[in-house]
Amino acid sequence: MVLLNLPVAQALAGGDGVRAKPAIPEQCLKTVRDYVKRTRGWDATVYAIDAEDVGGSGRGFSVRLLAERSAQRLAGGAESFHVDTDPACSRVTGELGYQ
């Protein structure tokens, strides 16, 4: 007899709105990594990139320092930020700091 945990089974089936994050295209990763290296000097091993909705025609990404995920930070003291790119991810078009 196989018992299923219903909420887990629904989540796996996408029944409760939980969806897997889509893979970020390699061109987008390259553009954002190049920008982070040029503007911050950060090594790619110290941060993570995740897609974020920008509500426009471009693409958006969060750039989060791994150390900030677990550490308590004072308001406004975080170094993680958001970048926007053009639709083709050929260049960064904007940056916003998190508060």
Side-chain angles (χ1 to χ4, degrees):
M1 174 185 239
V2 175
L3 297 177
L4 292 177
N5 180 330
L6 189 53
V8 172
Q10 285 177 332
L12 292 173
D16 69 350
V18 175
R19 295 186 187 120
K21 290 182 183 179
I24 299 173
E26 191 59 38
Q27 176 61 39
C28 297
L29 288 173
K30 180 183 181 330
T31 297
V32 174
R33 285 181 183 139
D34 289 349
Y35 179 82
V36 172
K37 185 68 169 177
R38 186 175 75 252
T39 62
R40 302 299 195 287
W42 296 350
D43 185 81
T45 61
V46 301
Y47 65 90
I49 300 171
D50 292 307
E52 288 188 320
D53 184 25
V54 293
S57 62
R59 294 176 182 232
F61 302 94
S62 69
V63 178
R64 298 199 181 260
L65 279 174
L66 298 177
E68 289 182 354
R69 287 186 169 180
S70 60
Q72 294 290 338
R73 297 281 180 179
L74 296 175
E79 294 183 66
S80 296
F81 60 99
H82 170 93
V83 294
D84 293 326
T85 69
D86 63 350
C89 283
S90 62
R91 64 186 177 89
V92 171
T93 60
E95 176 184 323
L96 297 169
Y98 294 126
Q99 295 182 359

Short mmCIF file of all heavy atoms in Angstrom, two decimals, residues 27-91:
data_model
loop_
_atom_site.label_atom_id
_atom_site.label_comp_id
_atom_site.label_asym_id
_atom_site.label_seq_id
_atom_site.Cartn_x
_atom_site.Cartn_y
_atom_site.Cartn_z
N GLN A 27 22.88 33.09 -21.44
CA GLN A 27 23.23 34.46 -21.82
C GLN A 27 22.90 35.44 -20.70
O GLN A 27 23.66 36.36 -20.43
CB GLN A 27 22.52 34.88 -23.11
CG GLN A 27 22.76 36.32 -23.51
CD GLN A 27 24.23 36.64 -23.78
OE1 GLN A 27 24.94 35.83 -24.33
NE2 GLN A 27 24.68 37.81 -23.36
N CYS A 28 21.77 35.24 -20.04
CA CYS A 28 21.38 36.11 -18.92
C CYS A 28 22.35 35.97 -17.76
O CYS A 28 22.78 36.97 -17.16
CB CYS A 28 19.96 35.79 -18.47
SG CYS A 28 18.70 36.09 -19.73
N LEU A 29 22.70 34.74 -17.43
CA LEU A 29 23.66 34.50 -16.34
C LEU A 29 24.99 35.17 -16.65
O LEU A 29 25.58 35.83 -15.79
CB LEU A 29 23.86 33.01 -16.12
CG LEU A 29 22.70 32.26 -15.48
CD1 LEU A 29 22.97 30.76 -15.48
CD2 LEU A 29 22.44 32.75 -14.07
N LYS A 30 25.46 35.03 -17.88
CA LYS A 30 26.74 35.63 -18.28
C LYS A 30 26.69 37.15 -18.15
O LYS A 30 27.60 37.76 -17.61
CB LYS A 30 27.11 35.23 -19.70
CG LYS A 30 28.42 35.82 -20.16
CD LYS A 30 28.74 35.47 -21.59
CE LYS A 30 30.06 36.04 -22.08
NZ LYS A 30 30.52 37.27 -21.52
N THR A 31 25.62 37.75 -18.64
CA THR A 31 25.51 39.21 -18.59
C THR A 31 25.49 39.71 -17.15
O THR A 31 26.18 40.67 -16.81
CB THR A 31 24.24 39.67 -19.34
OG1 THR A 31 24.37 39.29 -20.72
CG2 THR A 31 24.02 41.16 -19.23
N VAL A 32 24.70 39.05 -16.30
CA VAL A 32 24.61 39.48 -14.90
C VAL A 32 25.93 39.22 -14.18
O VAL A 32 26.42 40.08 -13.44
CB VAL A 32 23.42 38.79 -14.18
CG1 VAL A 32 23.42 39.13 -12.70
CG2 VAL A 32 22.10 39.22 -14.83
N ARG A 33 26.55 38.08 -14.40
CA ARG A 33 27.85 37.78 -13.76
C ARG A 33 28.91 38.78 -14.17
O ARG A 33 29.69 39.25 -13.33
CB ARG A 33 28.30 36.36 -14.09
CG ARG A 33 27.54 35.30 -13.35
CD ARG A 33 28.04 33.92 -13.70
NE ARG A 33 27.25 32.92 -13.04
CZ ARG A 33 26.85 31.78 -13.61
NH1 ARG A 33 27.19 31.50 -14.86
NH2 ARG A 33 26.11 30.93 -12.94
N ASP A 34 28.96 39.11 -15.47
CA ASP A 34 29.94 40.10 -15.94
C ASP A 34 29.69 41.46 -15.27
O ASP A 34 30.63 42.14 -14.87
CB ASP A 34 29.86 40.25 -17.46
CG ASP A 34 30.40 39.04 -18.21
OD1 ASP A 34 31.03 38.16 -17.58
OD2 ASP A 34 30.17 38.97 -19.43
N TYR A 35 28.44 41.84 -15.13
CA TYR A 35 28.09 43.11 -14.50
C TYR A 35 28.52 43.12 -13.03
O TYR A 35 29.11 44.09 -12.55
CB TYR A 35 26.58 43.35 -14.62
CG TYR A 35 26.11 44.63 -13.96
CD1 TYR A 35 26.22 45.85 -14.63
CD2 TYR A 35 25.57 44.61 -12.69
CE1 TYR A 35 25.80 47.03 -14.02
CE2 TYR A 35 25.14 45.79 -12.08
CZ TYR A 35 25.25 46.99 -12.76
OH TYR A 35 24.84 48.16 -12.15
N VAL A 36 28.23 42.04 -12.32
CA VAL A 36 28.58 41.94 -10.90
C VAL A 36 30.11 41.98 -10.74
O VAL A 36 30.62 42.67 -9.85
CB VAL A 36 27.98 40.67 -10.26
CG1 VAL A 36 28.49 40.45 -8.85
CG2 VAL A 36 26.47 40.74 -10.28
N LYS A 37 30.83 41.29 -11.59
CA LYS A 37 32.29 41.30 -11.51
C LYS A 37 32.83 42.69 -11.76
O LYS A 37 33.71 43.18 -11.05
CB LYS A 37 32.87 40.30 -12.52
CG LYS A 37 34.35 40.14 -12.43
CD LYS A 37 34.73 39.46 -11.14
CE LYS A 37 36.18 39.05 -11.14
NZ LYS A 37 36.54 38.46 -9.87
N ARG A 38 32.28 43.39 -12.77
CA ARG A 38 32.75 44.72 -13.15
C ARG A 38 32.40 45.78 -12.09
O ARG A 38 33.22 46.63 -11.76
CB ARG A 38 32.16 45.11 -14.51
CG ARG A 38 32.69 46.41 -15.06
CD ARG A 38 32.17 46.70 -16.47
NE ARG A 38 30.78 47.13 -16.43
CZ ARG A 38 29.73 46.42 -16.83
NH1 ARG A 38 29.91 45.22 -17.32
NH2 ARG A 38 28.51 46.90 -16.75
N THR A 39 31.19 45.70 -11.53
CA THR A 39 30.75 46.75 -10.61
C THR A 39 31.06 46.47 -9.14
O THR A 39 31.16 47.40 -8.35
CB THR A 39 29.23 47.01 -10.74
OG1 THR A 39 28.51 45.82 -10.40
CG2 THR A 39 28.88 47.46 -12.16
N ARG A 40 31.14 45.18 -8.76
CA ARG A 40 31.36 44.84 -7.35
C ARG A 40 32.67 44.10 -7.10
O ARG A 40 33.15 44.05 -5.99
CB ARG A 40 30.23 43.94 -6.81
CG ARG A 40 28.82 44.50 -6.89
CD ARG A 40 28.68 45.77 -6.09
NE ARG A 40 27.31 46.18 -5.84
CZ ARG A 40 26.48 46.70 -6.73
NH1 ARG A 40 26.83 46.82 -7.98
NH2 ARG A 40 25.27 47.10 -6.38
N GLY A 41 33.16 43.42 -8.14
CA GLY A 41 34.36 42.61 -7.97
C GLY A 41 34.11 41.29 -7.27
O GLY A 41 35.04 40.63 -6.83
N TRP A 42 32.84 40.90 -7.17
CA TRP A 42 32.49 39.67 -6.45
C TRP A 42 32.79 38.44 -7.30
O TRP A 42 32.49 38.39 -8.49
CB TRP A 42 31.01 39.64 -6.09
CG TRP A 42 30.55 40.69 -5.15
CD1 TRP A 42 31.32 41.57 -4.44
CD2 TRP A 42 29.20 41.00 -4.83
NE1 TRP A 42 30.52 42.39 -3.68
CE2 TRP A 42 29.21 42.07 -3.90
CE3 TRP A 42 27.97 40.49 -5.23
CZ2 TRP A 42 28.06 42.62 -3.38
CZ3 TRP A 42 26.81 41.03 -4.70
CH2 TRP A 42 26.87 42.08 -3.79
N ASP A 43 33.30 37.41 -6.65
CA ASP A 43 33.48 36.11 -7.28
C ASP A 43 32.12 35.42 -7.36
O ASP A 43 31.29 35.58 -6.45
CB ASP A 43 34.46 35.28 -6.43
CG ASP A 43 34.78 33.97 -7.09
OD1 ASP A 43 35.63 33.95 -7.98
OD2 ASP A 43 34.14 32.96 -6.71
N ALA A 44 31.89 34.68 -8.41
CA ALA A 44 30.58 34.03 -8.62
C ALA A 44 30.22 33.02 -7.53
O ALA A 44 29.06 32.62 -7.42
CB ALA A 44 30.55 33.35 -9.98
N THR A 45 31.17 32.63 -6.70
CA THR A 45 30.89 31.66 -5.64
C THR A 45 30.29 32.29 -4.40
O THR A 45 29.86 31.59 -3.49
CB THR A 45 32.16 30.90 -5.23
OG1 THR A 45 33.12 31.84 -4.74
CG2 THR A 45 32.74 30.12 -6.41
N VAL A 46 30.23 33.63 -4.31
CA VAL A 46 29.74 34.28 -3.10
C VAL A 46 28.33 34.84 -3.22
O VAL A 46 27.81 35.42 -2.28
CB VAL A 46 30.69 35.41 -2.62
CG1 VAL A 46 32.09 34.86 -2.36
CG2 VAL A 46 30.72 36.58 -3.58
N TYR A 47 27.68 34.65 -4.38
CA TYR A 47 26.33 35.15 -4.56
C TYR A 47 25.51 34.20 -5.42
O TYR A 47 26.05 33.31 -6.07
CB TYR A 47 26.35 36.57 -5.18
CG TYR A 47 26.89 36.63 -6.59
CD1 TYR A 47 26.06 36.49 -7.70
CD2 TYR A 47 28.24 36.84 -6.83
CE1 TYR A 47 26.56 36.55 -8.98
CE2 TYR A 47 28.74 36.91 -8.10
CZ TYR A 47 27.90 36.76 -9.18
OH TYR A 47 28.39 36.82 -10.46
N ALA A 48 24.20 34.41 -5.39
CA ALA A 48 23.27 33.61 -6.20
C ALA A 48 22.44 34.56 -7.05
O ALA A 48 22.11 35.67 -6.63
CB ALA A 48 22.36 32.77 -5.30
N ILE A 49 22.07 34.10 -8.23
CA ILE A 49 21.22 34.87 -9.14
C ILE A 49 19.89 34.14 -9.27
O ILE A 49 19.86 32.94 -9.54
CB ILE A 49 21.87 35.00 -10.53
CG1 ILE A 49 23.23 35.71 -10.43
CG2 ILE A 49 20.94 35.73 -11.50
CD1 ILE A 49 24.04 35.67 -11.72
N ASP A 50 18.80 34.88 -9.09
CA ASP A 50 17.46 34.33 -9.27
C ASP A 50 16.67 35.27 -10.16
O ASP A 50 16.85 36.49 -10.09
CB ASP A 50 16.73 34.19 -7.93
CG ASP A 50 17.35 33.11 -7.05
OD1 ASP A 50 17.50 31.98 -7.54
OD2 ASP A 50 17.67 33.40 -5.90
N ALA A 51 15.79 34.71 -10.98
CA ALA A 51 14.93 35.53 -11.82
C ALA A 51 13.88 36.23 -10.96
O ALA A 51 13.39 35.67 -9.99
CB ALA A 51 14.25 34.67 -12.88
N GLU A 52 13.58 37.49 -11.30
CA GLU A 52 12.54 38.27 -10.63
C GLU A 52 11.70 38.94 -11.71
O GLU A 52 12.24 39.43 -12.70
CB GLU A 52 13.13 39.35 -9.73
CG GLU A 52 13.76 38.82 -8.48
CD GLU A 52 14.16 39.94 -7.52
OE1 GLU A 52 14.66 40.98 -7.95
OE2 GLU A 52 13.99 39.72 -6.31
N ASP A 53 10.41 39.00 -11.48
CA ASP A 53 9.51 39.66 -12.41
C ASP A 53 9.74 41.17 -12.38
O ASP A 53 9.85 41.76 -11.32
CB ASP A 53 8.06 39.36 -12.04
CG ASP A 53 7.07 39.92 -13.03
OD1 ASP A 53 7.44 40.14 -14.20
OD2 ASP A 53 5.92 40.17 -12.63
N VAL A 54 9.82 41.78 -13.56
CA VAL A 54 9.99 43.23 -13.63
C VAL A 54 8.74 43.93 -14.16
O VAL A 54 8.67 45.14 -14.15
CB VAL A 54 11.21 43.64 -14.48
CG1 VAL A 54 12.49 43.21 -13.82
CG2 VAL A 54 11.12 43.10 -15.88
N GLY A 55 7.78 43.15 -14.65
CA GLY A 55 6.53 43.73 -15.11
C GLY A 55 6.63 44.52 -16.39
O GLY A 55 5.70 45.20 -16.78
N GLY A 56 7.75 44.48 -17.07
CA GLY A 56 7.92 45.21 -18.32
C GLY A 56 8.42 44.29 -19.42
O GLY A 56 8.22 43.09 -19.38
N SER A 57 9.09 44.89 -20.38
CA SER A 57 9.54 44.10 -21.52
C SER A 57 10.90 43.47 -21.29
O SER A 57 11.30 42.59 -22.05
CB SER A 57 9.61 45.00 -22.76
OG SER A 57 10.56 46.04 -22.55
N GLY A 58 11.63 43.90 -20.25
CA GLY A 58 12.94 43.34 -19.99
C GLY A 58 12.88 42.14 -19.05
O GLY A 58 11.82 41.54 -18.85
N ARG A 59 14.02 41.82 -18.51
CA ARG A 59 14.13 40.72 -17.55
C ARG A 59 14.73 41.27 -16.27
O ARG A 59 15.52 42.21 -16.30
CB ARG A 59 15.03 39.61 -18.09
CG ARG A 59 14.44 38.92 -19.30
CD ARG A 59 15.45 37.91 -19.83
NE ARG A 59 14.93 37.26 -21.01
CZ ARG A 59 14.89 35.94 -21.17
NH1 ARG A 59 15.34 35.15 -20.24
NH2 ARG A 59 14.41 35.43 -22.26
N GLY A 60 14.39 40.66 -15.13
CA GLY A 60 14.91 41.09 -13.85
C GLY A 60 15.53 39.94 -13.09
O GLY A 60 15.09 38.79 -13.21
N PHE A 61 16.54 40.26 -12.30
CA PHE A 61 17.27 39.25 -11.54
C PHE A 61 17.68 39.79 -10.18
O PHE A 61 18.09 40.94 -10.07
CB PHE A 61 18.53 38.81 -12.31
CG PHE A 61 18.23 38.28 -13.67
CD1 PHE A 61 18.27 39.13 -14.76
CD2 PHE A 61 17.85 36.97 -13.86
CE1 PHE A 61 17.96 38.67 -16.03
CE2 PHE A 61 17.54 36.49 -15.11
CZ PHE A 61 17.60 37.35 -16.20
N SER A 62 17.57 38.95 -9.16
CA SER A 62 18.12 39.32 -7.87
C SER A 62 19.55 38.77 -7.81
O SER A 62 19.83 37.68 -8.31
CB SER A 62 17.28 38.74 -6.72
OG SER A 62 17.40 37.34 -6.68
N VAL A 63 20.41 39.55 -7.21
CA VAL A 63 21.80 39.15 -6.98
C VAL A 63 21.98 39.20 -5.47
O VAL A 63 22.04 40.27 -4.88
CB VAL A 63 22.80 40.09 -7.69
CG1 VAL A 63 24.23 39.67 -7.41
CG2 VAL A 63 22.51 40.13 -9.19
N ARG A 64 21.99 38.04 -4.83
CA ARG A 64 22.01 37.97 -3.37
C ARG A 64 23.29 37.33 -2.87
O ARG A 64 23.63 36.21 -3.25
CB ARG A 64 20.82 37.18 -2.86
CG ARG A 64 19.51 37.82 -3.22
CD ARG A 64 18.41 37.29 -2.33
NE ARG A 64 17.14 37.86 -2.68
CZ ARG A 64 16.58 38.86 -2.02
NH1 ARG A 64 17.17 39.38 -0.98
NH2 ARG A 64 15.41 39.34 -2.39
N LEU A 65 23.96 38.07 -1.99
CA LEU A 65 25.15 37.51 -1.34
C LEU A 65 24.72 36.33 -0.48
O LEU A 65 23.75 36.42 0.27
CB LEU A 65 25.81 38.56 -0.45
CG LEU A 65 26.71 39.56 -1.14
CD1 LEU A 65 27.17 40.62 -0.15
CD2 LEU A 65 27.91 38.88 -1.76
N LEU A 66 25.43 35.23 -0.58
CA LEU A 66 25.08 34.05 0.20
C LEU A 66 25.20 34.33 1.69
O LEU A 66 24.40 33.83 2.48
CB LEU A 66 25.97 32.87 -0.21
CG LEU A 66 25.84 32.44 -1.67
CD1 LEU A 66 26.82 31.31 -1.99
CD2 LEU A 66 24.41 32.04 -2.01
N ALA A 67 26.15 35.14 2.09
CA ALA A 67 26.33 35.46 3.51
C ALA A 67 25.12 36.20 4.07
O ALA A 67 24.82 36.11 5.26
CB ALA A 67 27.58 36.30 3.71
N GLU A 68 24.40 36.94 3.23
CA GLU A 68 23.24 37.69 3.70
C GLU A 68 22.00 36.81 3.86
O GLU A 68 21.05 37.21 4.51
CB GLU A 68 22.91 38.83 2.74
CG GLU A 68 23.92 39.94 2.78
CD GLU A 68 23.60 41.09 1.87
OE1 GLU A 68 22.63 41.03 1.09
OE2 GLU A 68 24.35 42.07 1.93
N ARG A 69 22.01 35.65 3.30
CA ARG A 69 20.85 34.75 3.43
C ARG A 69 20.68 34.27 4.86
O ARG A 69 19.59 34.06 5.32
CB ARG A 69 20.98 33.56 2.50
CG ARG A 69 20.75 33.92 1.07
CD ARG A 69 20.74 32.71 0.22
NE ARG A 69 20.25 33.06 -1.11
CZ ARG A 69 20.13 32.20 -2.08
NH1 ARG A 69 20.46 30.93 -1.89
NH2 ARG A 69 19.69 32.59 -3.26
N SER A 70 21.78 34.10 5.58
CA SER A 70 21.68 33.56 6.94
C SER A 70 21.98 34.60 8.01
O SER A 70 21.56 34.44 9.15
CB SER A 70 22.63 32.38 7.10
OG SER A 70 23.96 32.79 6.88
N ALA A 71 22.68 35.64 7.67
CA ALA A 71 23.06 36.63 8.68
C ALA A 71 21.96 37.66 8.89
O ALA A 71 21.22 38.00 7.98
CB ALA A 71 24.34 37.35 8.23
N GLN A 72 21.85 38.14 10.12
CA GLN A 72 20.92 39.23 10.42
C GLN A 72 21.61 40.53 10.03
O GLN A 72 22.72 40.80 10.45
CB GLN A 72 20.59 39.26 11.91
CG GLN A 72 19.81 38.07 12.38
CD GLN A 72 18.38 38.10 11.85
OE1 GLN A 72 17.87 39.14 11.48
NE2 GLN A 72 17.74 36.96 11.80
N ARG A 73 20.93 41.31 9.18
CA ARG A 73 21.51 42.58 8.72
C ARG A 73 20.66 43.74 9.20
O ARG A 73 19.44 43.63 9.30
CB ARG A 73 21.57 42.64 7.20
CG ARG A 73 22.45 41.59 6.59
CD ARG A 73 23.88 42.03 6.70
NE ARG A 73 24.74 41.01 6.11
CZ ARG A 73 26.03 41.11 6.05
NH1 ARG A 73 26.63 42.15 6.56
NH2 ARG A 73 26.75 40.18 5.50
N LEU A 74 21.30 44.85 9.47
CA LEU A 74 20.56 46.05 9.81
C LEU A 74 19.83 46.55 8.57
O LEU A 74 20.29 46.37 7.46
CB LEU A 74 21.53 47.14 10.30
CG LEU A 74 22.29 46.83 11.58
CD1 LEU A 74 23.30 47.93 11.87
CD2 LEU A 74 21.33 46.67 12.74
N ALA A 75 18.70 47.19 8.78
CA ALA A 75 17.92 47.73 7.66
C ALA A 75 18.80 48.66 6.83
O ALA A 75 19.48 49.52 7.35
CB ALA A 75 16.70 48.47 8.18
N GLY A 76 18.76 48.46 5.53
CA GLY A 76 19.54 49.30 4.63
C GLY A 76 21.00 48.91 4.53
O GLY A 76 21.74 49.51 3.77
N GLY A 77 21.45 47.91 5.28
CA GLY A 77 22.86 47.54 5.27
C GLY A 77 23.20 46.41 4.34
O GLY A 77 24.35 46.03 4.24
N ALA A 78 22.23 45.87 3.66
CA ALA A 78 22.47 44.73 2.78
C ALA A 78 23.19 45.17 1.51
O ALA A 78 23.01 46.29 1.04
CB ALA A 78 21.15 44.04 2.44
N GLU A 79 23.98 44.29 0.96
CA GLU A 79 24.69 44.57 -0.30
C GLU A 79 24.02 43.91 -1.49
O GLU A 79 24.38 44.22 -2.63
CB GLU A 79 26.13 44.11 -0.20
CG GLU A 79 26.94 44.89 0.84
CD GLU A 79 28.38 44.44 0.86
OE1 GLU A 79 29.08 44.65 -0.14
OE2 GLU A 79 28.78 43.87 1.89
N SER A 80 23.08 43.00 -1.28
CA SER A 80 22.37 42.35 -2.37
C SER A 80 21.57 43.40 -3.14
O SER A 80 21.21 44.44 -2.60
CB SER A 80 21.44 41.27 -1.83
OG SER A 80 22.19 40.24 -1.20
N PHE A 81 21.29 43.11 -4.40
CA PHE A 81 20.59 44.08 -5.23
C PHE A 81 19.84 43.40 -6.37
O PHE A 81 19.93 42.18 -6.56
CB PHE A 81 21.58 45.12 -5.78
CG PHE A 81 22.69 44.54 -6.62
CD1 PHE A 81 22.64 44.57 -8.00
CD2 PHE A 81 23.81 43.98 -6.02
CE1 PHE A 81 23.66 44.04 -8.78
CE2 PHE A 81 24.85 43.46 -6.78
CZ PHE A 81 24.77 43.49 -8.16
N HIS A 82 19.10 44.18 -7.13
CA HIS A 82 18.32 43.73 -8.28
C HIS A 82 18.87 44.39 -9.53
O HIS A 82 19.24 45.56 -9.50
CB HIS A 82 16.85 44.13 -8.09
CG HIS A 82 16.01 43.93 -9.30
ND1 HIS A 82 15.29 42.78 -9.52
CD2 HIS A 82 15.79 44.73 -10.37
CE1 HIS A 82 14.66 42.89 -10.67
NE2 HIS A 82 14.93 44.07 -11.21
N VAL A 83 18.95 43.64 -10.63
CA VAL A 83 19.32 44.22 -11.92
C VAL A 83 18.25 43.91 -12.95
O VAL A 83 17.59 42.87 -12.90
CB VAL A 83 20.69 43.74 -12.43
CG1 VAL A 83 21.82 44.20 -11.56
CG2 VAL A 83 20.73 42.25 -12.61
N ASP A 84 18.10 44.84 -13.88
CA ASP A 84 17.23 44.65 -15.04
C ASP A 84 18.12 44.52 -16.27
O ASP A 84 19.18 45.16 -16.34
CB ASP A 84 16.30 45.85 -15.24
CG ASP A 84 15.29 46.00 -14.13
OD1 ASP A 84 14.83 44.97 -13.61
OD2 ASP A 84 14.95 47.14 -13.78
N THR A 85 17.67 43.69 -17.21
CA THR A 85 18.37 43.58 -18.48
C THR A 85 17.37 43.83 -19.61
O THR A 85 16.16 43.83 -19.38
CB THR A 85 19.00 42.18 -18.69
OG1 THR A 85 17.96 41.21 -18.88
CG2 THR A 85 19.89 41.77 -17.54
N ASP A 86 17.89 43.99 -20.80
CA ASP A 86 17.02 44.07 -21.96
C ASP A 86 16.44 42.67 -22.21
O ASP A 86 16.88 41.69 -21.60
CB ASP A 86 17.77 44.61 -23.17
CG ASP A 86 18.92 43.73 -23.62
OD1 ASP A 86 19.29 42.77 -22.91
OD2 ASP A 86 19.47 43.99 -24.70
N PRO A 87 15.42 42.54 -23.07
CA PRO A 87 14.79 41.22 -23.27
C PRO A 87 15.75 40.12 -23.72
O PRO A 87 15.58 38.96 -23.38
CB PRO A 87 13.73 41.49 -24.35
CG PRO A 87 13.39 42.93 -24.18
CD PRO A 87 14.69 43.60 -23.79
N ALA A 88 16.78 40.47 -24.47
CA ALA A 88 17.74 39.48 -24.96
C ALA A 88 18.87 39.20 -23.98
O ALA A 88 19.73 38.36 -24.24
CB ALA A 88 18.34 39.95 -26.29
N CYS A 89 18.87 39.91 -22.85
CA CYS A 89 19.92 39.78 -21.84
C CYS A 89 21.30 40.12 -22.41
O CYS A 89 22.30 39.53 -22.04
CB CYS A 89 19.96 38.37 -21.24
SG CYS A 89 18.68 38.06 -20.04
N SER A 90 21.34 41.08 -23.32
CA SER A 90 22.63 41.47 -23.89
C SER A 90 23.31 42.55 -23.06
O SER A 90 24.51 42.76 -23.19
CB SER A 90 22.45 41.95 -25.33
OG SER A 90 21.62 43.09 -25.38
N ARG A 91 22.53 43.27 -22.20
CA ARG A 91 23.13 44.30 -21.36
C ARG A 91 22.25 44.56 -20.14
O ARG A 91 21.04 44.35 -20.18
CB ARG A 91 23.36 45.59 -22.13
CG ARG A 91 22.09 46.23 -22.60
CD ARG A 91 22.36 47.45 -23.49
NE ARG A 91 21.12 48.01 -23.98
CZ ARG A 91 20.43 48.95 -23.36
NH1 ARG A 91 20.87 49.45 -22.23
NH2 ARG A 91 19.31 49.39 -23.85
#
